[in-house]
């Protein structure tokens, strides 16, 4: 028995990349650090909020790579002769990725009270109706 993939269904022409997208999305969830929220802020707007306590603006980077929003955090180890009796505040580096649909663009980002907010907007394309001419004979 042959395995039927999503892209091989006769009614889903051109959706081969959807299966790759689902696989890539499943691989991108690499644990729970840092925790995050995703909220819908308007009919076409979204906000991703990451808890980044202890990270400053210079410790964070936000990029879009191959339709993926990538948020990275890295703190420099500062050896200022501090002696910790207990170190419970995470200071580890992280990378969190979010796959973006076509038409979703980054509107901006800001950090406040230990939370990094990344705002996104989805552009709604205008509907296009096109008439295809039917020719006679062979092509």
């Amino acid at each position: 028995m042959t395995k039927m993939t999503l892209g091989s269904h006769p009614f889903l022409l051109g959706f081969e990349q959807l299966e790759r997208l689902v696989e890539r999305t499943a691989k991108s969830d690499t644990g729970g650090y840092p925790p995050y929220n995703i909220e819908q802020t308007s009919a076409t707007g979204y906000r991703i909020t990451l808890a980044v306590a202890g990270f400053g603006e210079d410790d964070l980077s936000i990029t879009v790579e191959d339709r993926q929003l990538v948020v990275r955090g890295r703190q420099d180890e500062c050896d200022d002769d501090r002696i910790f009796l207990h170190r419970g505040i995470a200071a580890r580096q992280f990378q969190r990725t979010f796959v973006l649909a076509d038409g979703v663009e980054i509107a901006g980002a800001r950090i406040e009270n230990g939370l990094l907010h990344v705002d996104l907007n989805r552009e709604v394309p205008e509907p296009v109706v096109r008439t295809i001419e039917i020719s006679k004979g062979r092509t």
Side-chain angles (χ1 to χ4, degrees):
M1 184 169 178
T2 351
K3 178 185 173 191
M4 185 164 185
T5 61
L6 183 66
S8 67
H9 193 279
F11 297 132
L12 297 173
L13 298 174
F15 283 89
E16 296 84 11
Q17 76 179 49
L18 185 59
E19 190 166 11
R20 289 190 299 271
L21 177 68
V22 170
E23 289 173 4
R24 186 171 66 179
T25 303
K27 290 178 185 176
S28 71
D29 192 18
T30 58
Y33 183 76
Y36 64 92
N37 293 335
I38 300 175
E39 61 184 297
Q40 187 165 4
T41 56
S42 68
T44 59
Y46 305 94
R47 175 174 292 147
I48 299 172
T49 301
L50 292 99
V52 292
F55 288 86
E57 291 177 38
D58 295 336
D59 300 326
L60 299 168
S61 73
I62 303 170
T63 57
V64 176
E65 304 168 12
D66 192 27
R67 300 305 306 158
Q68 289 188 92
L69 169 67
V70 181
V71 181
R72 292 182 179 93
R74 171 178 229 131
Q75 291 179 321
D76 292 331
E77 292 292 325
C78 54
D79 292 331
D80 56 359
D81 298 327
R82 298 187 307 183
I83 299 171
F84 290 96
L85 300 178
H86 172 74
R87 189 167 188 172
I89 299 173
R92 63 182 185 238
Q93 66 182 8
F94 69 86
Q95 176 175 309
R96 180 64 82 169
T97 61
F98 303 90
V99 178
L100 302 176
D102 289 338
V104 174
E105 298 296 330
I106 309 301
R110 72 186 196 308
I111 190 168
E112 71 177 332
N113 300 326
L115 298 174
L116 175 66
H117 302 287
V118 181
D119 292 317
L120 308 136
N121 284 325
R122 178 176 41 92
E123 296 296 322
V124 180
E126 293 289 325
V128 176
V129 177
R130 195 173 107 201
T131 303
I132 309 300
E133 184 178 326
I134 302 172
S135 61
K136 296 180 184 179
R138 293 187 172 149
T139 55

